């Protein structure tokens, strides 16, 4: 029996949101956003539509007893949400932030206790996986409190859940996101790419009018800029048996560039002014200042009349009158630092500027070295110029859909459109149409819930399949060379765009399979090489193919330990985005299965 509710969850870098539809109401199932109870001040719980993705680890005796109590939990020493963010302004060394960015960073120990990053030794640490689990567990408990009550069948763990991830998340980051959800008790889980969810939300908001807003041949640029990341996708409008269909044709890289960078830009500007006036900030104060600049940025980028906004943080030292430090951020400063700094005018042939790297670096997130979103967009459109079957120097989208908290700002939207239209004019293409409507703060969660309805035949599905081409590493047969491992060839096993539930026909090539002992299976992927056919062997690959973390496995055959067995390959992409690789012996008498999570359903 199908679950009563379909639930969309946006596990965001800055805010998390839950949207849902009650399918028992028939075809008229309306989407709603869950008001999430959370601590907003010590001892005060209120319900808000956004759960800030922050976690604060309180020290012993730091807060009064019961200050962090929730209706479903008492005596906790950690808090998620609004008060976690507020308290983190005052004590930044105990605040876990950007857990989603850490979860996507292959260079970090994503399951190790590393957050708060840079926190003092006495502060207990959580892994990015644990922090994500806490956010999702809070959403589960809030749902069960507000929606389920005593109805066991309405508990969140019994519903169909659609959890969003960036389209650019690699398979490991997707798998860790799924693990966080499962650890939080959310089992009936499907992952959905955020740009697709944003487009689903636009479709849902407009009803059938979306078919008049776009036409066959249109290419929609989804520009998703949130608190910590920038993601670009292209979705083509095509025709199938007289009906408009949507197909995702290109996905960009996962760029650690977003609202957090803008907060820092403002904080550095304030710090320089204070230093010129004789006040120096230490690292603790600066972290608090960066968090304070977030609210100032949002006010000044809004359409209000504020010409300046004050920021304040706790002070240290004798020079700070009254124990607090105050400064002003002017609207003109925002225009210079954020509009010109992050969305500069540039040519369509420009690329992100690589800085000369220092030989010894502090460990941390691999932030984009160039803060210019417009140059990253130019690179994306050039890389994927073949995705739209246009013979131009760059892909030329016909419409743009904005998503993410950053893109709520009209000044930033206008600048990006202005720059992109300049490129399109030079290419002889029409100017971008802006797809209006939708709610940037709640769109991804609402779109995920709409997708759940679409899977039940109550909405429009976007085609797309796998976002990348995937390869299996084949070790080259060659004589041993001291100090050198044999090179790896890339065997294409899943071309880009393969739909879930599809069998993949591999040519009848034979390879040697190591059985009976631990072996390393190497996987690779590319979001650029969309023309590689199944069975193609790439002898030499460079930056257009990236290696993924290997999979260690032992394929058993008792009595044949360490044997190299001639096998053929068979492949299938399951409904939940898992690649099943079957290795079949030459005589067909033995079969071994290997599973690799490409992505969850999209």
């Amino acid at each position: 029996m199908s679950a009563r509710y379909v639930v969309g969850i946006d596990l965001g870098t800055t805010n998390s949101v839950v949207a849902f539809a009650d399918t028992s109401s028939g075809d008229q199932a309306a989407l709603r956003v869950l008001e999430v109870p959370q601590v907003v001040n010590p001892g005060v719980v209120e319900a808000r539509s956004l759960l800030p993705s922050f976690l604060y680890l309180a020290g012993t005796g730091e807060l009064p007893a019961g200050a962090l109590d929730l209706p479903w939990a008492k005596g906790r020493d950690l808090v998620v949400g609004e008060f976690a963010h507020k308290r983190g302004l005052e004590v930044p060394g105990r605040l876990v932030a950007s857990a989603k960015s850490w979860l996507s960073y292959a260079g970090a120990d994503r399951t190790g206790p590393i957050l708060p990053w840079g926190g003092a030794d006495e502060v207990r640490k959580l892994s990015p996986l644990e922090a994500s689990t806490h956010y999702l567990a809070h959403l589960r408990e809030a749902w069960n409190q507000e929606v389920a009550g005593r109805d066991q069948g309405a508990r969140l763990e019994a519903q169909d859940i659609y959890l969003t991830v960036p389209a650019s998340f690699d398979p490991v980051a997707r798998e860790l996101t799924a693990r966080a959800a499962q650890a939080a008790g959310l089992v009936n889980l499907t992952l959905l790419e955020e740009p697709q969810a944003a487009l689903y939300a636009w479709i849902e908001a407009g009803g059938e009018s979306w078919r008049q807003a776009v036409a066959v041949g249109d290419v929609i640029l989804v520009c998703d800029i949130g608190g910590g990341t920038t993601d670009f996708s292209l979705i083509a409008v095509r025709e199938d048996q007289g009906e408009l269909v949507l197909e995702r044709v290109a996905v960009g890289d996962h760029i650690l560039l977003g609202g957090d960078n803008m907060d820092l830009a403002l904080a550095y500007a304030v710090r320089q002014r204070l230093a010129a006036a004789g006040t120096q900030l230490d690292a603790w104060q600066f972290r608090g200042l960066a968090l304070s600049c977030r609210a100032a940025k949002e006010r000044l980028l809004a359409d209000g009349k504020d010409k300046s906004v004050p920021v304040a943080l706790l002070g240290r030292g004798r020079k700070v009158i009254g124990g607090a430090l105050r400064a002003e951020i002017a609207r003109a400063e925002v225009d210079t630092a954020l509009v010109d700094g992050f969305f500069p005018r540039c040519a369509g042939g420009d690329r992100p500027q690589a800085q000369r790297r220092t030989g010894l670096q502090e460990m941390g997130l691999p932030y984009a070295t160039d803060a210019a979103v417009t140059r990253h967009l130019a690179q994306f459109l050039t890389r994927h110029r073949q995705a739209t079957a246009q013979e131009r120097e760059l892909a030329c989208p016909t419409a743009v859909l904005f998503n993410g908290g950053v893109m709520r700002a009209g000044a930033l939207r206008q600048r990006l459109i202005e720059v992109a239209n300049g490129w399109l004019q030079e290419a002889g293409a029409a100017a971008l149409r802006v797809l209006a409507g939708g709610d940037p703060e709640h769109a991804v969660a609402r779109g995920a819930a709409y997708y759940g309805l679409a899977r039940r035949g109550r909405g429009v599905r976007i085609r797309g399949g796998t976002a990348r081409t995937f390869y299996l590493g084949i070790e080259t047969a060659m004589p041993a060379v001291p100090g050198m491992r044999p090179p790896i060839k890339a065997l294409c096993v899943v071309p880009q765009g393969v739909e879930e539930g599809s069998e993949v026909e591999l040519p009848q090539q034979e390879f040697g399979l190591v059985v009976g002992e631990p072996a390393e299976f190497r996987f690779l992927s590319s979001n650029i090489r969309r023309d590689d056919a199944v069975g193609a062997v790439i002898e030499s690959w460079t930056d257009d193919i990236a290696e993924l973390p290997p999979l260690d496995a032992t394929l058993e055959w008792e009595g044949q330990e360490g044997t190299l067995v001639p096998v053929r390959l068979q492949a299938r992409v399951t409904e939940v985005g898992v690649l099943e690789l079957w290795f079949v012996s030459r005589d067909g008498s033995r079969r071994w299965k290997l599973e690799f999570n490409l992505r969850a359903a999209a």
Side-chain angles (χ1 to χ4, degrees):
M1 181 179 296
S2 297
R4 174 179 172 181
Y5 294 96
V6 292
V7 183
I9 299 179
D10 174 14
L11 181 63
T13 306
T14 306
N15 292 296
S16 295
V17 183
V18 176
F20 63 98
D22 184 350
T23 63
S24 66
S25 58
D27 292 337
Q28 302 303 313
L31 294 184
R32 298 164 53 194
V33 173
L34 177 68
E35 296 289 324
V36 181
Q38 56 196 282
V39 179
V40 297
N41 286 304
V44 179
V45 175
E46 294 180 3
R48 306 277 175 88
S49 65
L50 303 177
L51 177 72
S53 301
F54 297 90
L55 187 152
Y56 185 79
L57 299 161
T60 303
E62 176 185 344
L63 295 168
L68 306 182
D69 285 355
L70 288 161
W72 56 84
K74 309 293 183 184
R76 286 186 173 176
D77 61 353
L78 61 81
V79 62
V80 167
E82 182 64 30
F83 181 64
H85 186 207
K86 287 181 180 178
R87 188 63 175 171
L89 296 175
E90 301 168 350
V91 192
R94 290 184 172 273
L95 181 67
V96 174
S98 301
K100 182 175 180 178
S101 296
W102 285 102
L103 200 66
S104 70
Y105 179 30
D109 182 0
R110 293 177 273 192
T111 60
I114 61 174
L115 301 178
W117 187 256
D121 290 341
E122 68 271 15
V123 178
R124 68 186 178 100
K125 303 294 194 299
L126 301 177
S127 70
L129 178 63
E130 288 174 308
S132 301
T133 300
H134 277 292
Y135 302 149
L136 291 167
H138 186 106
L139 295 176
R140 174 177 57 81
E141 296 290 359
W143 170 283
N144 292 340
Q145 170 82 18
E146 298 296 299
V147 179
R150 297 183 179 181
D151 183 354
Q152 292 297 311
R155 292 179 67 84
L156 186 58
E157 49 266 41
Q159 311 313 314
D160 289 339
I161 298 166
Y162 299 88
L163 177 61
T164 63
V165 293
S168 52
F169 257 23
D170 65 25
V172 176
R174 293 170 188 257
E175 175 64 23
L176 289 172
T177 304
R179 281 178 56 186
Q182 290 160 3
L186 309 181
V187 180
N188 303 321
L189 181 73
T190 297
L191 299 187
L192 174 68
E193 293 174 1
E194 289 168 4
Q196 291 193 47
L199 192 58
Y200 280 127
W202 174 75
I203 293 171
E204 182 265 335
E208 285 299 307
S209 66
W210 77 270
R211 299 181 187 277
Q212 285 72 54
V214 294
V216 174
D218 274 338
V219 177
I220 302 169
L221 167 66
V222 181
C223 179
D224 186 354
I225 306 178
T229 59
T230 291
D231 283 288
F232 303 116
S233 293
L234 292 176
I235 296 177
V237 182
R238 293 176 175 161
E239 186 177 21
D240 184 10
Q241 298 180 357
E243 291 288 325
L244 288 179
V245 296
L246 301 167
E247 181 177 355
R248 193 252 296 112
V249 293
V251 173
D253 294 330
H254 190 58
I255 306 168
L256 288 184
L257 174 63
D260 292 348
N261 302 70
M262 298 179 183
D263 302 339
L264 283 173
L266 293 177
Y268 279 116
V270 172
R271 187 174 74 172
Q272 288 175 354
R273 289 206 307 274
L274 292 172
T279 300
Q280 299 292 333
L281 300 184
D282 61 22
W284 180 88
Q285 289 174 303
F286 181 75
R287 290 180 64 185
L289 175 61
L291 291 169
S292 298
C293 285
R294 185 189 306 263
K297 171 197 70 180
E298 292 172 353
R299 282 182 58 183
L300 290 169
L301 283 174
D303 295 329
K305 303 299 183 182
D306 292 320
K307 292 185 178 180
S308 65
V309 172
V311 291
L313 68 157
L314 295 181
R316 290 179 175 180
R318 299 175 183 174
K319 293 186 178 181
V320 182
I321 300 175
L325 183 66
R326 298 185 182 277
E328 293 277 330
I329 298 178
R331 180 178 292 274
E333 192 171 14
V334 168
D335 289 341
T336 299
L338 304 190
V339 180
D340 294 334
F342 287 85
F343 294 82
R345 296 178 177 89
C346 64
D350 286 354
R351 297 291 176 271
Q353 298 174 358
Q355 299 179 5
R356 185 174 183 179
R357 303 179 71 185
T358 303
L360 195 62
Q361 301 183 356
E362 183 180 57
M363 292 298 296
L365 288 170
Y367 295 108
T369 57
D370 189 340
V373 172
T374 43
R375 285 195 284 268
H376 287 285
L377 177 59
Q379 177 171 272
F380 167 75
L381 293 177
T382 302
R383 279 184 175 178
H384 296 282
R385 59 184 177 273
Q386 296 178 348
T388 56
Q390 301 166 334
E391 295 183 2
R392 294 189 172 108
E393 291 300 313
L394 76 169
C396 293
T398 57
V400 59
L401 177 65
F402 291 113
N403 191 57
V406 168
M407 301 315 296
R408 292 199 307 264
L412 302 184
R413 294 196 304 270
Q414 291 167 12
R415 173 58 66 83
L416 188 142
I417 292 169
E418 172 198 331
V419 173
N421 279 341
W423 306 337
L424 296 176
Q425 184 177 13
E426 288 185 3
L432 284 170
R433 306 191 313 277
V434 178
L435 300 183
D439 176 0
E441 288 187 326
H442 307 112
V444 168
R446 291 181 67 93
Y450 175 88
Y451 172 71
L453 293 175
R455 283 177 64 108
R456 298 191 184 191
R458 302 188 189 184
V460 179
R461 291 281 300 271
I462 299 173
R463 298 178 178 178
T466 54
R468 290 169 166 75
T469 301
F470 289 89
Y471 309 83
L472 182 61
I474 306 296
E475 185 174 284
T476 302
M478 61 172 286
V481 176
M484 175 182 172
R485 292 186 65 179
I488 294 293
K489 299 177 182 179
L491 170 69
C492 179
V493 290
V494 179
Q496 188 179 92
V498 170
E499 297 289 343
E500 296 84 1
S502 300
E503 299 284 343
V504 181
E505 294 292 334
L506 285 158
Q508 295 300 302
Q509 301 163 279
E510 277 196 344
F511 301 96
L513 177 70
V514 176
V515 298
E517 66 179 30
E520 180 182 75
F521 292 87
R522 296 169 67 175
F523 289 85
L524 311 95
S525 74
S526 173
N527 65 354
I528 300 173
R529 301 177 64 105
R530 57 180 51 85
D531 296 327
D532 288 344
V534 176
V537 177
I538 315 303
E539 299 274 350
S540 178
W541 42 274
T542 53
D543 293 341
D544 57 351
I545 296 180
E547 186 159 5
L548 303 171
L551 179 65
D552 294 323
T554 301
L555 303 182
E556 301 290 350
W557 190 353
E558 188 175 350
Q560 298 293 325
E561 289 78 4
T563 302
L564 198 64
V565 180
V567 295
R568 300 186 309 277
L569 272 65
Q570 297 176 353
R572 177 176 179 269
V573 179
T574 71
E575 291 289 347
V576 293
V578 173
L579 170 63
E580 291 183 352
L581 277 176
W582 289 90
F583 303 98
V584 184
S585 63
R586 181 179 292 170
D587 61 5
S589 62
R590 301 192 69 90
R591 293 163 59 88
W592 297 266
K593 184 174 75 169
L594 193 68
E595 292 187 341
F596 187 79
N597 189 0
L598 303 181
R599 43 162 283 177

